[in-house]
Amino acid sequence: MSNQDQQPADALINTTDGLAYWESIAPDVNGMLGGFPHISKVDIQGSKNFLAKLGVGAKKRKVERALEGGAGIGRVTTGLLLDGIAQQVDVIEPIQKFTDELKGKTGVGKVWNMGLEQWEMQDGGERYDLIWIQWCVGHLTDHQLVSFLERCKAALDVEKGGFIVVKENNSTSGKDDFDEVDSSVTREDATFRRIFKEAKLKLVQVELQKGFQSSGLLPVRMYALKPE
């Protein structure tokens, strides 16, 4: 058995390697979606449907302020969040070339060019009605992810019913899997649920993304979370 097999998958994550991978990726939808640009429309629609069930968007309530973690080029910021979901969106994204096109765009607020593990709200900072985190937390260790979610929880506007959505691939191998290509981990559903519990977040809705099966992709789940 190799040392890699003996270690927890998240112990193998190397932030420098992960950043180097994304710096080598083109700032376009094909790059963001790993060569599967055709799934973007289905992905966005699935997210809109999920939020509608939570009373947001789809001619229902439009939130005042949202935050996207791991925003990349803003595919979700512009295609989902600023399309009838939120009036303003702040973004966290460590790769500056990805966010260059977002700066100054109508509806885009603060842009933090830093990793999720480095981000934290300043005292007196804005509170968010919605925090959207998609296809990025595989670059955080379990401990870092718990800590990040705790900071997200503290940044929610709970008086307005603020909530967090995590949308991520789920491993089907019976364990969390490490990917050497981009130095990330694909977690099992059970691992996500344990992490949410550790961060003292309760699941208010969970749903499998539909329409990806024909592309041979891993299952993708959306988790809506609120403070316990």
Side-chain angles (χ1 to χ4, degrees):
M1 182 178 290
S2 68
N3 289 334
Q4 180 168 319
D5 291 333
Q6 294 175 333
Q7 295 183 74
D10 71 307
L12 301 169
I13 293 171
N14 183 297
T15 300
T16 301
D17 290 347
L19 290 172
Y21 168 82
W22 285 108
E23 286 284 6
S24 74
I25 297 299
D28 55 30
V29 173
N30 184 62
M32 297 302 97
L33 295 180
F36 294 89
H38 59 281
I39 70 170
S40 187
K41 186 176 179 179
V42 175
D43 168 60
I44 294 292
Q45 189 58 54
S47 299
K48 286 183 177 180
N49 295 345
F50 185 70
L51 286 171
K53 293 171 186 175
L54 293 160
V56 176
K59 299 181 181 179
K60 298 182 180 182
R61 179 171 68 99
K62 188 173 184 178
V63 303
E64 183 178 343
R65 185 180 289 265
L67 172 70
E68 187 189 359
I73 62 172
R75 183 187 67 89
V76 170
T77 291
T78 58
L80 171 68
L81 300 176
L82 288 175
D83 186 24
I85 302 297
Q87 295 175 29
Q88 181 170 315
V89 181
D90 295 347
V91 302
I92 311 167
E93 169 53 52
I95 308 301
Q96 186 172 336
K97 71 175 180 180
F98 291 165
T99 60
D100 282 345
E101 291 298 315
L102 280 177
K103 292 176 180 177
K105 186 165 286 190
T106 301
V108 175
K110 295 178 182 175
V111 176
W112 283 284
N113 286 128
M114 61 178 63
L116 303 182
E117 73 281 3
Q118 299 170 305
W119 177 84
E120 59 182 322
M121 283 295 297
Q122 300 299 312
D123 290 341
E126 296 289 347
R127 292 294 178 261
Y128 297 102
D129 307 294
L130 169 63
I131 298 177
W132 189 275
I133 307 157
Q134 179 172 350
W135 285 332
C136 58
V137 301
H139 291 287
L140 302 184
T141 66
D142 288 3
H143 176 75
Q144 287 174 331
L145 180 50
V146 170
S147 180
F148 173 63
L149 289 171
E150 288 174 337
R151 297 194 301 277
C152 287
K153 181 176 63 175
L156 287 174
D157 191 332
V158 292
E159 293 182 1
K160 292 183 180 179
F163 62 97
I164 299 166
V165 174
V166 174
K167 185 171 185 177
E168 289 286 343
N169 292 352
N170 283 170
S171 167
T172 57
S173 69
K175 59 182 177 63
D176 297 344
D177 293 321
F178 177 70
D179 187 341
E180 293 181 347
V181 174
D182 65 354
S183 194
S184 70
V185 167
T186 303
R187 294 179 169 91
E188 290 187 285
D189 175 53
T191 302
F192 276 114
R193 291 172 186 261
R194 172 182 59 77
I195 286 170
F196 300 150
K197 191 171 183 179
E198 287 182 22
K200 293 183 169 53
L201 289 164
K202 63 181 178 182
L203 279 168
V204 294
Q205 189 159 313
V206 184
E207 190 174 299
L208 270 171
Q209 168 72 47
K210 298 175 183 176
F212 284 178
Q213 292 83 350
S214 61
S215 297
L217 300 174
L218 288 169
V220 174
R221 276 188 174 84
M222 294 171 277
Y223 304 92
L225 305 154
K226 286 191 173 185
E228 287 184 351

